[in-house]
Each structure stands twice: as C-alpha cells, then as structure tokens.
Amino acid sequence: MSSTKEEAPAVRVLGLWASPFVIRVLIALRLKGVEHEVLEEVVGKKSELLLRSNPVHKKIPVLLHHGKPISESLIIVQYIDEVWSSNAPAVLPADPYVRAVERFWAQYIDDKFPRGIRILKGTVDGNKDEIVEQLSTALQLLEEAFLKLSNGKHYFGGDNIGYLDIALGSHVGWVRAVEKIAGVQLLDAAKVPHLVAWADRFCAHPAVMDVLPDADRFVEYSVKYGSFFPTRSSTTK
C-alpha cells in the first residue's frame, strides 16, 4: 500500500533567485545534471526551514541533501562536485596547485564584489568613485588570471565551466545591473576584452542561461526591494 505523504526530493535548495550565491549552487547542480527542487525564500523573511537548516548564520543558500544541510555557496559547490564526481564535467581542477589558485581567486572575488555591488546599488554607504576604481582593478587582475588559467580556451576551467567560472560568473548579472543603475562601466571591452567575451559565453551556457537572468530583471529587483539582503544578518553567501 502506497503512502499518501509525498517524500521530499533528495536535493533541495533554499534561496532567492536574485542571490549570486544561490545562482552558484544552481549552476553547479545543472552542470552535474542533478535533479533538484528550489524552495524560494520570501524577501525580508526567513523560513522556519532556513532557520533550522542554518542556525549559525541563518542565511541562504542552503543545500539539503537527503535532509542534511550544507551551507556557504562555495562549500556547496565543492560538495556537489565531490558527491556527483562521476557526473562530468569536473568543477574543481584535478591539479592541487591550480585548485589552490582558483580557490584564492574565488575568495578574492567574494572580498571585492558583493560589497562593491551594494555600494553602487546605493543600499549601503560608500564612495562610488572609489568602488568603481577598485572593481575595475579587480576585473583587470581577473582578466590576467583568465589568460593564465584558461590556456587559450573558453573558460577559466578550460573547455568547460569550472569552479572559478561559477564563482565570478554568478556576479555578472548584478555587475551589469549596477552599470545601468549607477551609470558606470565595469565590464569594459577596451580594458578587459577577454573577460567581456568570457562573460557572454558564460551567460549563454545551457547550465547558466535559465538561472542567471538578464540585467534588467536585477535592476527591477533592486528598485522593488533595494537588496536581496535587507540587513547584514541576512546576508547570503
């Protein structure tokens, strides 16, 4: 006799579509071909499931795998790569040195871009001219990193989207949105031509295009809600 109660899917993601950190997780799952369910949180509120699943930081994203929670976007991406290691492509590079280098740059991205984007959106105070200069410098450094790590191929990961592609690419929607909101140019083809071409390829990838909306949707979201994290305590990562 079958049960009338439906079992929860094996893989669920707690998040908000506009969070670049949630986008990371969804891209990794799609790359690996993992079936999953997205449980969309309500802006400005935290569900009981989220509070139970991430009681320490109380923030999205959270991956629930057979009910067991994993938090922090880059940790989740690594977890997905390890658990579904037989599903191609590999997200993290096989070489330990290259893996370490990509982790360094992923941390650099998270140190620079979330705060800079918030300032350019006007959701936190800061000198916008200084932030534009800082982000432009960061992108030029990442352009150099791309040339070294890609080995002349389409992505940081080579022939396929990899760890660093996901780490940086998840911010592309908001970078393009704040260009419109603040009237600035960050992904400038005159300064970072390879990164601009990479961003276009990344956004058009089948694993990305359905979870990374165009800039206008992010602009609309910013106008409506101001931020996908109303206070520091609800920051996503």
Side-chain angles (χ1 to χ4, degrees):
M1 184 175 179
S2 61
S3 172
T4 57
K5 184 178 179 180
E6 286 190 21
E7 290 186 8
V11 179
R12 295 185 290 169
V13 179
L14 307 182
L16 285 169
W17 69 264
S19 165
F21 306 105
V22 173
I23 289 168
R24 285 176 177 171
V25 175
L26 299 181
I27 291 171
L29 288 169
R30 290 168 65 87
L31 271 176
K32 291 290 190 175
V34 179
E35 291 188 11
H36 59 279
E37 178 186 14
V38 179
L39 302 178
E40 192 83 3
E41 291 285 309
V42 176
V43 177
K45 297 181 181 179
K46 297 177 184 180
S47 69
E48 287 300 319
L49 182 56
L50 173 60
L51 295 175
R52 289 198 311 271
S53 302
N54 191 359
V56 176
H57 297 301
K58 304 178 176 66
K59 62 186 179 182
I60 55 173
V62 175
L63 179 78
L64 295 171
H65 187 203
H66 295 298
K68 296 179 179 179
I70 302 98
S71 303
E72 303 292 321
S73 63
L74 291 176
I75 292 174
I76 296 171
V77 169
Q78 293 174 58
Y79 177 84
I80 291 168
D81 194 38
E82 291 170 2
V83 171
W84 290 279
S85 59
S86 61
N87 297 22
V91 174
L92 284 157
D95 183 88
Y97 176 74
V98 179
R99 195 158 61 239
V101 170
E102 291 203 3
R103 283 173 170 154
F104 166 83
W105 283 114
Q107 185 59 58
Y108 178 80
I109 288 162
D110 280 358
D111 288 342
K112 296 292 183 182
F113 283 85
R115 178 177 175 273
I117 288 169
R118 288 196 296 268
I119 290 173
L120 292 178
K121 286 169 60 184
T123 52
V124 298
D125 292 333
N127 187 310
K128 292 184 179 181
D129 291 336
E130 287 182 2
I131 289 299
V132 169
E133 185 175 346
Q134 289 174 18
L135 291 181
S136 295
T137 298
L139 288 167
Q140 288 174 46
L141 290 172
L142 286 162
E143 168 98 346
E144 294 173 11
F146 175 79
L147 292 174
K148 292 177 182 177
L149 292 167
S150 67
N151 293 313
K153 297 180 180 178
H154 286 330
Y155 302 103
F156 283 96
D159 291 319
N160 297 303
I161 286 177
Y163 181 73
L164 193 50
D165 295 283
I166 294 172
L168 180 59
S170 60
H171 290 292
V172 167
W174 275 113
V175 168
R176 288 174 168 170
V178 296
E179 286 181 325
K180 295 188 175 190
I181 293 168
V184 299
Q185 191 166 18
L186 296 171
L187 280 169
D188 185 346
K191 295 180 179 179
V192 287
H194 296 92
L195 216 52
V196 170
W198 161 84
D200 289 340
R201 285 193 297 272
F202 178 83
C203 292
H205 192 282
V208 177
M209 58 192 309
D210 290 337
V211 296
L212 183 60
D214 62 28
D216 289 338
R217 277 200 69 194
F218 288 105
V219 172
E220 291 169 6
Y221 187 93
S222 184
V223 170
K224 185 173 181 179
Y225 296 113
S227 176
F228 51 82
F229 30 81
T231 63
R232 178 62 183 168
S233 64
S234 57
T235 299
T236 62
K237 191 171 182 181

